[in-house]
Amino acid sequence: MLSFQNSETQQQIRDIARSFANEQIAPSSIERDIKAEFPTEIIKQIGELGFLGMNVPEKWDGSGLDNISQCAVIEEFARVDASVSVIVSVQKLVNSVLVKSGSDIVKEKYLKPLARGEMLGAYCLSEPGVGSDARGITTMAIDKGNYYLVNGSKNWITTGSKAGVFLVFAQTNPELKHKGITAFLMDSNSEGVEIGLKEDKMGLRGSDTVSLSFANVKVPKENLVGKIGEGFYIAMKGLSGGRIGIASQALGIAKGAFELSVKYASERETMGVPINRHQAIQIKLAQMSMKISAAELLIQKAAWMEDNGQDITRQSSEAKLFASTIANDITREAVQIHGGYGYVREYLVERFMRDAKITEIYEGTSEIQHIVIAREVIKDAE
Ligand code: CAA
């Protein structure tokens, strides 16, 4: 049965993540946003805490946390700095694919260092002309006997210039369309890999987003993930799980902005009273609180279902769609509650508003989430 009471272990993990977020991530968050600086030292410490391998079984050097705890960790990091949380969420996404579909060789060679936090991974699906229409991948991998020769380019790659390994989805047989897509692991220092300039983004400025190009990159056959032609299914399944991570990130952003708003509304006075005495502000706080509670439930449900071995394609899309929508509503209202102060960096909420936007775009836009949900609803009814 789905429980609303976290277990002692789940609560302990949330507490560890929260303390780390407050003490180690929050103090430098403004500076990283201004300088668009990757949180190298913080990510190293997160790795040491075991949070870069939280969805990896202990057998493969991970910490084997349940999904409810994984969501809590991402949420707590996003509560203070969404850039840090996305790095953790993408690592979880890459790890999840290797746990499910990686051979023992791949697990030994890549999953273990990823899980120990010694290496970062990047999920290389999108291309300059391929985003929502993931089946249109044009990056080619040609079988050359004991290796594949990979040519093409990838776009919007989170952690792309920092990753030790890329999980690349490439076409091995264009005639078969999506059934010709295959997943590979590529060492980021392979000859022929070129890393593009870091994108100058509106939000999430501490995370690393680059394009990648591959010119005759040799990928050893043993780096195949799953079977030839399974790549599209692997990518989609991976994203079904990954989307709860982004939902948790969106929830964390919403909570961070809400907490700041509640505090500000109790301190700031107008017309002789704290602004939280004005009904206009109370309505905003009530709406924020309700939306956060609803997003929490959707995420909790999807995480619980995944922990119980159920398919979460519909639930993770519902959680992501809802949480990203409310994160945008709440951060916009947080700026409004703060008035002029909300529009300056020092009060943080303007960054939360900028950071929230991407949650409606990556790991499937809100429009794509609607499609995924509707297809599942129709499938269930048939
Ligand atoms: N699990 C398993 N199989 C799935 C699946 C899932 N979740 N979703 C689809 N499939 C299967 C289908 O059953 C179908 O199988 P058959 O070949 O047997 O018919 C096959 O895959 C093709 O599926 P569709 O017919 O549904 O394909 P489509 O092209 O019509 O639609 C889509 C697919 C839902 C639109 C998909 O392309 C999609 O999700 N697009 C968004 C891509 C995305 O999220 N990109 C994010 C990039 S990664 C990122 O952002 C990470 C980061 O850095 C933060």
Side-chain angles (χ1 to χ4, degrees), residues 157-280:
I157 304 306
T158 304
T159 318
S161 80
K162 306 290 176 186
V165 68
F166 303 141
L167 176 59
V168 177
F169 297 91
Q171 247 311 343
T172 41
N173 189 344
E175 278 175 23
L176 296 179
K177 307 227 163 80
H178 69 281
K179 291 181 198 290
I181 295 171
T182 302
F184 303 92
L185 285 173
M186 179 190 283
D187 287 304
S188 62
N189 61 3
S190 305
E191 208 182 318
V193 170
E194 200 178 313
I195 296 172
L197 287 178
K198 185 172 167 174
E199 301 292 348
D200 187 10
K201 306 192 294 281
M202 164 182 163
L204 232 59
R205 292 176 56 75
S207 78
D208 176 70
T209 310
V210 294
S211 58
L212 302 172
S213 64
F214 310 134
N216 292 324
V217 180
K218 289 181 180 171
V219 173
K221 279 241 161 117
E222 64 180 28
N223 283 14
L224 191 71
V225 178
K227 297 199 180 85
I228 292 289
E230 274 184 1
F232 187 77
Y233 305 96
I234 289 174
M236 291 299 112
K237 265 256 162 296
L239 285 169
S240 289
R243 286 169 182 156
I244 325 182
I246 302 303
S248 306
Q249 179 193 38
L251 175 63
I253 296 171
K255 280 193 180 178
F258 175 60
E259 286 166 18
L260 290 167
S261 301
V262 171
K263 183 167 179 287
Y264 183 81
S266 70
E267 291 165 358
R268 165 77 169 159
E269 293 194 2
T270 63
M271 295 145 211
V273 289
I275 61 170
N276 67 10
R277 294 290 178 267
H278 300 308
Q279 286 189 349

Side-chain angles (χ1 to χ4, degrees), residues 17 19 33 45 70 84 124 126 129 145 148 152 165 191 222 231 239 270-271 294 310-311 354 372:
S19 303
D33 178 56
Q45 290 172 30
Q70 294 170 34
V84 171
C124 304
S126 301
Y148 285 90
V165 68
E191 208 182 318
E222 64 180 28
L239 285 169
T270 63
M271 295 145 211
Q310 299 177 34
D311 179 67
R354 287 186 283 112
V372 172

